[in-house]
Amino acid sequence: MLPGVAGSAQAASADAAAAAGSTGAKGGTSGGAAAPHPAATVFDPIRPPSVPLAVRSPYLSAWLPSSNSAGTWPTFWTGRIMAMTGIAQIDGVPFLFLGSPNIDGQVLRGMAQRSLTTTATRSVFLFEAAGVELTVTFLSPVEPGDLRRQSVPLSYLTADVRSADGAAHDVKLYFDISGEWAHADSGTSIGWAAEQVSGAGGGSLTSLSFSPDGTKTLAENGDMATWGTVVWSATNRSGLTWQIGADTAVRPAALTDGKLAGSVDSRQPRAINDAWPVFAFHFDLGRVRASAQQAVLSVGHVREPAVSYLGTPLPPLWKSYWASWQKMAAFFHGDLTTAATRTAALDRKVRTEATAAGGAKYAALCALALRQAYGATELVSRDGAPWALLKEISSDGNVSSIDVTYPAMPVFAWADPGYLALLLAPMLEYAEHGGWPKEFAEHDLGSSYPNAAGHNDGNEEDMPVEESANMLLMTAAYLKGASASDAKAFATTHYTILKQWADYLVANALDPGFQNQTDDFTGFIGHSANLALKGILALGAMSQVAAAAGNAADRTRYLGVAKDYIGQWVGKAQDTTPDHLKLAYDQPGTWSLKYNGYPDTLLGLGLVPASVAAEEAAWYLTQANPYGIPLDVRHAYTKGDWEMWTAAWLRDHPVSGYLIDSLYEFAHTTPTRVPFTDWYDTVNDKPSGGFQARPVVGGIFALLSVAR
């Protein structure tokens, strides 16, 4: 796999010791088998806080909350168990490599985990036991510029086995998942089916699927969908058998009989926790030598409808390309070879360009962030046109929160500006035609995903300067990456609403009143220097929108206002010391990260004086803690996305490298094993709140987006 920076032996040993404490984890289909862990796993290029496994959409989001997969159940991003089991039988001896199953009360031997490699699209585990090497790859494709493939809510799992000692070995692989993948409440009844699906190019696959019984559509339980179908498929090959049944029957049968019965448990529907039905595949690979033998699986979650917009159900975009999930799954399996090539190229692009922009540790952070950022979004169809919607995962559950899309924006601006336009489209549509009643931009499209119910009564979490500025800045970021014709069409189509928001900022951005802003956990604030900076730069962005639309007069006007305001801003924000900028105009002796300086660099506005940037860069280094620089003077916590925005803005100053190194150390060493958090304590190396798996980690790509 792709080379990188290997984790230090010290960090690896510490992580192995921490992970060993979880080997007796119970829950789900488990009685809690404890598998022995190897000494130290080599982490290349980073030890993820939680390893992304199948991370493809808001409801296909499976993670490993440890570094060693044997003895630990995968979970949904919330921490709820989504059991997946992996066992290798080598010359008749079973070895556990994934999950924590209880099989007739026996403790299985564990395969030694030699390494864990994280790329932008893959998590690759390398195991070894009894002269056999096993590579297990979880591949969640990200497909910039390809809406058809990006719309597929499926993820690959491949297992490659070869002899490591020169001898031939008899190898069998067993995989299963539990009904816990279908619903957050284990008391919920599910029904299931098995079928043969014709594949592309003459191949075929076996698909085991299951769904909640008595489905309630367009609703959630514990942040998991209460409707839809889990699809678990394997490419057919010689030696493949399958079975649906109780965990206590299926797993022992696989190990005892060396195959599965090809039978479907007839007692359905029944509760997920009623004799714990599992969905199992068994691969008899025969005599394995130096040439690798491969087992190919996929897992996904399909829903129809996908979301609703102002009460109208919207289908997933993949339905525009395939009539059924079966046809989509067949295509997905047939596409593996080319998907592997495309995603490997993307992995190399991320690694190479990120290393050039910020070094090896920065490239590691980008690799960790890509799937998480895209995995909070999904593509739907509205009247035949594609839209991308985003879930504000963990922090609020809102639909397409503008101030969550904004910090995530750099990854889309760098990887696929067209995708950014699709994210902006429903936000603009709602303000233009959906009934939003206020002069400034809305906060979100609905309080609870997947229902974009809007806020036509005006009752929402208003962030007037914040969201209006965010929309202008994101629009300008898209225009920068679009073709001239596409930029003109977009700017012209949405000019009226964008101008309305710009005029609101002309009246309110220089000295914002007592308003809420994106860091709402810090509370409302008046006269915020950072919020004012955002609003002023947004006026500069509006000048670019006007230029794209061919409105020279507005271009001159908004740029002139922005230049006038930035001069006043420097005076108002400067602390009396005077060696840094204040948190708020009326709060001398305070300071904050002015991460909103990043759009000045991204858009090439050149509004913030270089002397101000240098002053802030020097000041921030005096405030550094072991794991980063606090968000402001009031707390020890920070936000990783804003640190990387700051690093991009100040990329020519030493503080940029410090911010990268400290965020890497947090992610690489934090003992709290949840999907990459953006809100954490810079002193104690732990998350500060419940933020996890959020798309805002797309902000880590800020340096890439401004790389020269």
Side-chain angles (χ1 to χ4, degrees):
M1 298 305 296
L2 302 175
V5 180
S8 68
Q10 182 179 13
S13 297
D15 183 77
S22 68
T23 58
K26 298 179 183 292
T29 62
S30 167
H37 283 278
T41 297
V42 174
F43 303 108
D44 181 13
I46 192 170
R47 183 230 64 176
S50 190
V51 184
L53 300 179
V55 180
R56 199 77 163 97
S57 77
Y59 299 127
L60 181 61
S61 187
W63 303 77
L64 183 74
S66 174
S67 294
N68 293 281
S69 61
T72 304
W73 285 127
T75 69
F76 192 56
W77 65 259
T78 60
R80 172 182 163 72
I81 289 173
M82 296 168 64
M84 177 181 280
T85 299
I87 300 169
Q89 282 182 281
I90 305 172
D91 299 323
V93 179
F95 293 86
L96 181 69
F97 62 85
L98 176 60
S100 185
N102 185 344
I103 303 177
D104 289 341
Q106 63 179 305
V107 176
L108 300 181
R109 297 179 64 182
M111 295 193 82
Q113 184 176 309
R114 299 305 185 196
S115 65
L116 169 59
T117 301
T118 305
T119 73
T121 63
R122 294 164 168 78
S123 297
V124 184
F125 297 84
L126 178 63
F127 304 97
E128 189 175 354
V132 167
E133 188 176 87
L134 168 65
T135 302
V136 176
T137 302
F138 291 88
L139 168 59
S140 294
V142 175
E143 303 275 8
D146 190 333
L147 293 183
R148 179 177 63 149
R149 288 184 168 93
Q150 185 60 41
S151 72
V152 176
L154 305 174
S155 185
Y156 296 108
L157 192 171
T158 62
D160 294 271
V161 182
R162 70 173 190 89
S163 172
D165 62 4
H169 297 277
D170 183 76
V171 180
K172 300 177 177 65
L173 297 178
Y174 171 89
F175 293 91
D176 74 38
I177 63 174
S178 74
E180 291 154 301
W181 285 67
H183 202 282
D185 181 358
S186 292
T188 299
S189 290
I190 58 173
W192 49 79
E195 57 192 295
Q196 294 297 309
V197 178
S198 296
S204 64
L205 53 148
T206 301
S207 290
L208 312 180
S209 59
F210 51 101
S211 309
D213 187 47
T215 295
K216 182 179 181 181
T217 61
L218 297 170
E220 291 184 336
N221 181 298
D223 279 286
M224 294 181 73
T226 58
W227 85 110
T229 300
V230 177
V231 178
W232 174 232
S233 306
T235 298
N236 287 333
R237 55 159 293 157
S238 61
L240 173 66
T241 54
W242 59 270
Q243 189 172 347
I244 301 174
D247 64 336
T248 53
V250 175
R251 291 171 185 157
L255 300 186
T256 301
D257 302 339
K259 62 181 179 180
L260 293 172
S263 60
V264 176
D265 193 320
S266 62
R267 192 165 66 85
Q268 64 160 314
R270 72 170 188 256
I272 292 168
N273 60 11
D274 181 355
W276 297 103
V278 296
F279 306 82
F281 289 110
H282 187 270
F283 298 85
D284 185 343
L285 302 179
R287 302 291 285 175
V288 174
R289 296 176 171 80
S291 296
Q293 293 289 318
Q294 185 178 68
V296 177
L297 304 101
S298 72
V299 65
H301 192 277
V302 297
R303 312 180 331 275
E304 296 182 57
V307 300
S308 69
Y309 175 68
L310 301 183
T312 300
L314 302 183
L317 187 63
W318 63 261
K319 285 289 289 183
S320 300
Y321 305 105
W322 297 281
S324 66
W325 68 254
Q326 289 88 345
K327 292 184 181 298
M328 176 176 63
F331 170 84
F332 189 67
H333 276 247
D335 196 43
L336 173 60
T337 300
T338 57
T341 300
R342 288 190 308 275
T343 53
L346 179 59
D347 290 344
R348 288 191 297 271
K349 178 179 171 68
V350 170
R351 182 198 64 202
T352 302
E353 295 188 13
T355 301
K361 289 182 177 180
Y362 177 63
L365 291 168
C366 289
L368 185 59
L370 186 72
R371 278 170 286 175
Q372 182 170 320
Y374 270 87
T377 72
E378 62 181 334
L379 289 161
V380 301
S381 175
R382 184 184 185 242
D383 298 332
W387 272 4
L389 294 179
L390 175 147
K391 179 177 178 179
E392 185 179 339
I393 287 178
S394 77
S395 49
D396 219 347
N398 295 163
V399 183
S400 294
S401 304
I402 291 174
D403 68 305
V404 171
T405 308
Y406 178 66
M409 175 261 291
V411 70
F412 307 119
W414 175 79
D416 189 358
Y419 202 77
L420 176 58
L422 296 181
L423 286 163
L424 293 173
M427 302 170 184
L428 291 162
E429 161 68 24
Y430 177 52
E432 290 165 334
H433 308 294
W436 171 243
K438 298 183 179 180
E439 64 176 321
F440 49 79
E442 73 273 15
H443 172 269
D444 59 74
L445 300 186
S447 297
S448 183
Y449 204 91
N451 294 296
H455 301 280
N456 288 4
D457 59 0
N459 184 18
E460 58 132 37
E461 187 181 11
D462 284 349
M463 297 180 181
V465 169
E466 174 77 38
E467 307 299 19
S468 300
N470 290 344
M471 288 301 297
L472 293 172
L473 291 164
M474 287 192 287
T475 297
Y478 162 65
L479 298 181
K480 179 186 175 186
S483 67
S485 59
D486 287 346
K488 182 176 179 61
F490 194 91
T492 302
T493 298
H494 303 294
Y495 198 80
T496 299
I497 192 65
L498 295 171
K499 186 177 187 301
Q500 175 182 311
W501 293 334
D503 289 341
Y504 173 83
L505 293 176
V506 170
N508 294 277
L510 176 59
D511 189 357
F514 190 66
Q515 293 193 3
N516 203 356
Q517 35 69 58
T518 185
D519 302 319
D520 53 2
F521 47 86
T522 65
F524 280 61
I525 186 171
H527 318 294
S528 168
N530 195 39
L531 186 59
L533 176 59
K534 173 180 289 186
I536 294 167
L537 295 179
L539 292 173
M542 185 63 202
S543 74
Q544 296 182 343
V545 174
N551 191 324
D554 276 357
R555 175 187 179 279
T556 300
R557 174 185 170 231
Y558 288 115
L559 185 58
V561 173
K563 288 179 176 179
D564 174 43
Y565 282 5
I566 202 73
Q568 296 185 59
W569 173 80
V570 171
K572 291 175 177 290
Q574 183 66 53
D575 197 42
T576 54
T577 24
D579 57 0
H580 65 275
L581 303 180
K582 292 175 284 189
L583 168 67
Y585 297 157
D586 62 346
Q587 296 184 30
T590 62
W591 64 274
S592 65
L593 285 180
K594 302 302 187 292
Y595 55 80
N596 281 320
Y598 158 72
D600 192 50
T601 303
L602 175 68
L603 302 177
L605 294 170
L607 289 170
V608 181
S611 59
V612 171
E615 177 186 78
E616 285 293 277
W619 173 260
Y620 296 154
L621 279 178
T622 70
Q623 305 302 312
N625 283 334
Y627 297 99
I629 298 175
L631 189 61
D632 61 48
V633 68
R634 296 170 291 180
H635 307 278
Y637 59 60
T638 194
K639 290 191 79 267
D641 49 344
W642 297 144
E643 286 188 300
M644 292 302 95
W645 280 48
T646 305
W649 173 43
L650 303 175
R651 67 196 186 287
D652 296 326
H653 300 273
V655 70
S656 181
Y658 173 77
L659 287 165
I660 292 167
D661 289 349
S662 59
L663 181 59
Y664 176 92
E665 289 307 311
F666 163 71
H668 188 65
T669 64
T670 180
T672 306
R673 308 309 297 269
V674 299
F676 197 7
T677 182
D678 53 289
W679 183 23
Y680 70 95
D681 193 288
T682 60
V683 175
N684 69 19
D685 199 24
K686 296 179 181 179
S688 287
F691 290 11
Q692 58 195 57
R694 299 203 323 148
V696 301
V697 297
I700 287 170
F701 282 74
L703 280 94
L704 265 178
S705 70
V706 300
R708 290 172 295 189

